Amino acid sequence: MSDSTSSELQAQIDKFLNHFRGRCDDIAKIGDLEFRSALYLCLLDALGRALRPKGNTRERFIGVLRACSGWPYLERVSLARLGASLQANGLSTGRLAHDVRARLGPWREGLVLLPENEPPETELIDLAKDPLERTVIERNTYGELLYSLRNTLIHESRNPFYGVDFDDDDENEPLTHSYDNRRVVLIPVRFLEKLCRGCIDGLEKLVRSEGIDPYECFELGDPIYKKGGGQVRVARNWRMVWASLGPMPGTVASFSAGVFLMRATLPKRWRKRGRRMCAS
């Protein structure tokens, strides 16, 4: 690699990383904790694409956490969540469920359980005799809980774990605590910020050592238009339509969506007829 090419690559890497560090700084100023958490999780999604551009969403998200975050407890299992999941799936009488109850012991008010005190996934897998038990264990690792939080916050605008977070709280690690007579998991917004910044730092080491231009992992530009052709691609589903339209009032959005689909998918003669109908 020539000196000029190397300097251009380093400039691209700097530009990419500075963008995401700036986004982290912007998100940190937002007052609403749930909204802030959702944006940090979106940021992790985008960083995952730079690491694994061809994987599915789950692979990208958990992949970047494993490769870049430096957080050592992604494979630890939340005992409280595991116990509840086993019961919900009719698996509360086996050896695994008995072990989980013994580990948790009698729950006292004010007791807090941190990831560093939770068991690793490999330790519990040996106790699983049923394939469903293995699946339940895997789905309650902290890496999977972060992915579940990402899905629920972004797609349903709610926190699935019911842990109580406070803006003035210095807590920057997940924990299990008591709330409303049950055990709930809290993933604080400060932890998500720490995770994002850690992933940016980890990704920087990776792309610089491997000589990767992170921009090459993204298809830049409007995905509706084919490269070089300028022709509108047929919308495959409604999500693409709404993403292209952006936030609009309901009536305007419905009308615009109809016009968009008409122009994207119908023959020209029908588009003309549709325009005459709208004009009348």
Side-chain angles (χ1 to χ4, degrees), residues 65-66 68-77 115-121 142-143 146 172-174 191 194-195:
L65 293 178
R66 288 174 176 162
C68 302
S69 72
W71 194 60
Y73 305 123
L74 289 168
E75 310 304 327
R76 297 293 179 99
V77 179
E116 64 190 62
N117 300 320
E118 305 263 35
E121 178 184 357
Y142 277 91
L146 284 163
N172 63 357
E173 286 287 315
F191 168 71
K194 181 178 76 170
L195 211 57

Side-chain angles (χ1 to χ4, degrees), residues 102-131:
R103 289 172 186 264
L104 283 171
W107 191 264
R108 302 185 306 275
E109 192 67 29
L111 184 65
V112 170
L113 191 58
L114 297 172
E116 64 190 62
N117 300 320
E118 305 263 35
E121 178 184 357
T122 52
E123 190 176 304
L124 295 173
I125 285 290
D126 293 337
L127 300 172
K129 299 301 182 183
D130 186 291

Side-chain angles (χ1 to χ4, degrees), residues 24 27-45 61 146 149-154 157-161 163-167 186-193 195-196:
C24 272
I27 294 170
K29 300 172 185 175
I30 295 173
D32 188 288
L33 301 187
E34 197 169 271
F35 188 30
R36 199 192 308 174
S37 295
L39 290 174
Y40 282 133
L41 293 164
C42 286
L43 221 59
L44 288 169
D45 247 355
F61 186 87
L146 284 163
L149 177 66
R150 173 251 182 225
N151 290 341
T152 313
L153 265 182
I154 291 175
S157 190
R158 66 180 182 88
N159 189 322
F161 304 137
V164 181
D165 198 3
F166 298 96
D167 198 21
L186 167 63
I187 300 180
V189 68
R190 293 182 186 275
F191 168 71
L192 296 177
E193 179 182 359
L195 211 57
C196 276

